[in-house]
Amino acid sequence: MPGGRLTQSERQQIAVGLADGLPYAEIARRLERPTSTITREVMRNGGPSGYRADLAQRATQQRTQRRKQTPAQGSQALPQPHGRDAEAVRDYQERLTTVFMTSGLPKMMARVLGCLYTTDTGSLTAAELAQRLNVSPASISKAITFLEGLALVRRERDQRRRERYVVDDDLWYQSMLRSARANDEFIDTARQGITILGQGTPAANRLENAARFLDFVSEALIRAAEQGREVLYTRTQTTTPQDDTTTPRSDHA
């Protein structure tokens, strides 16, 4: 597959493919590009319904120009620990952001989450996020409020009383529970409709089947999340250094 940035001709072919209703994988196959490249290109430039080849080309040129003119700004200029390549880290962060966007998160919320997940601490202040993403504090505040509502980030105070935004393993568990319990309102409403529409009618049967399915899936999801949390967290917490678990040798060999 060819490497390098997408050309204007390729972007035009992407636009045509989207207009024809082709999936990302098929567009990628025709261009001999990775599917992730096409997905990232579309999601960062308006999405499937708003993608325009000329606007995408112009936006890419502007981003490239800004990077050349202001190399000291943004996350790409921050020192990278553990000998990491700053360019590779930035590209990966964009890829992770695209994954979050394709799962349904708006762009700014996905950028904030991607930024948090690529830090070793898993936490940043609003000022640090604004600096790394080169956006306003107001944009960060709005994104954090949205992510908190989905239980994807949490707030805490550090020793300097600064508010930090945190991602950790427990948040995935909390998010899974929230997702499962979000079905409860539909399940209850569907079952109310069964009485109104008449037990045994096609409409009532449709609602009853949907409620039973979601009820079953939700219970299974909650059970799996609780079991996974218990197994994985217990294993992490009970792991001890080898020296602490070694049985003392007898003096009488």
Side-chain angles (χ1 to χ4, degrees):
M1 289 186 177
R5 300 186 183 278
L6 290 165
T7 64
Q8 185 167 8
S9 174
E10 287 176 317
R11 290 191 166 95
Q12 290 170 348
Q13 293 179 64
I14 291 173
V16 171
L18 292 172
D20 290 341
L22 298 180
Y24 294 151
E26 176 59 21
I27 297 174
R29 187 189 67 79
R30 295 186 179 190
L31 294 177
E32 297 184 339
R33 290 276 190 171
T35 302
S36 60
T37 298
I38 306 304
T39 304
R40 185 163 60 250
E41 166 69 14
V42 174
M43 294 305 296
R44 74 186 304 183
N45 291 292
S49 60
Y51 184 83
R52 300 291 183 273
D54 55 340
L55 296 180
Q57 181 71 14
R58 192 179 311 152
T60 300
Q61 292 172 344
Q62 291 173 346
R63 283 192 295 267
T64 302
Q65 189 66 22
R66 283 198 300 268
R67 289 172 182 172
K68 291 178 179 179
Q69 292 177 347
T70 59
Q73 294 182 359
S75 60
Q76 68 271 21
L78 296 175
Q80 291 294 325
H82 309 296
R84 294 170 182 150
D85 182 285
E87 182 80 12
V89 171
R90 188 183 69 247
D91 288 345
Y92 173 74
Q93 187 173 314
E94 290 184 358
R95 196 179 317 137
L96 185 60
T97 296
T98 301
V99 171
F100 288 138
M101 290 171 65
T102 54
S103 71
L105 285 181
K107 184 174 181 178
M108 180 51 63
M109 291 63 173
R111 292 187 68 199
V112 168
L113 204 58
C115 188
L116 286 168
Y117 266 99
T118 50
T119 61
D120 287 311
T121 60
S123 70
L124 293 168
T125 65
E128 290 168 338
L129 281 165
Q131 178 193 11
R132 288 169 180 256
L133 298 176
N134 198 22
V135 297
S136 69
S139 297
I140 298 299
S141 177
K142 182 179 178 180
I144 290 295
T145 300
F146 183 92
L147 293 171
E148 271 191 310
L150 297 178
L152 292 175
V153 300
R154 61 180 174 82
R155 300 175 191 242
E156 66 178 27
R157 296 279 183 178
D158 61 17
Q159 294 179 345
R160 296 170 57 184
R161 303 297 298 165
R162 296 178 306 177
E163 195 169 67
R164 304 188 69 86
Y165 310 119
V166 183
V167 292
D168 57 21
D169 294 335
D170 196 53
L171 284 171
W172 282 111
Y173 167 75
Q174 297 296 339
S175 182
M176 292 286 280
L177 292 188
R178 181 190 178 283
S179 176
R181 289 167 179 161
N183 294 326
D184 290 348
E185 184 175 357
F186 174 81
I187 293 170
D188 291 342
T189 304
R191 286 174 172 158
Q192 293 170 14
I194 293 171
T195 303
I196 295 172
L197 296 171
Q199 187 80 31
T201 65
N205 287 341
R206 186 181 306 112
L207 286 171
E208 182 177 10
N209 289 337
R212 291 175 61 188
F213 175 79
L214 288 176
D215 198 16
F216 178 85
V217 170
S218 295
E219 288 185 7
L221 185 60
I222 292 173
R223 187 163 55 249
E226 291 175 344
Q227 290 174 347
R229 185 192 194 203
E230 181 179 355
V231 170
L232 295 176
Y233 285 11
T234 301
R235 181 179 302 170
T236 300
Q237 294 170 0
T238 58
T239 299
T240 56
Q242 188 70 25
D243 293 341
D244 294 341
T245 58
T246 302
T247 303
R249 291 182 299 175
S250 172
D251 293 334
H252 304 288

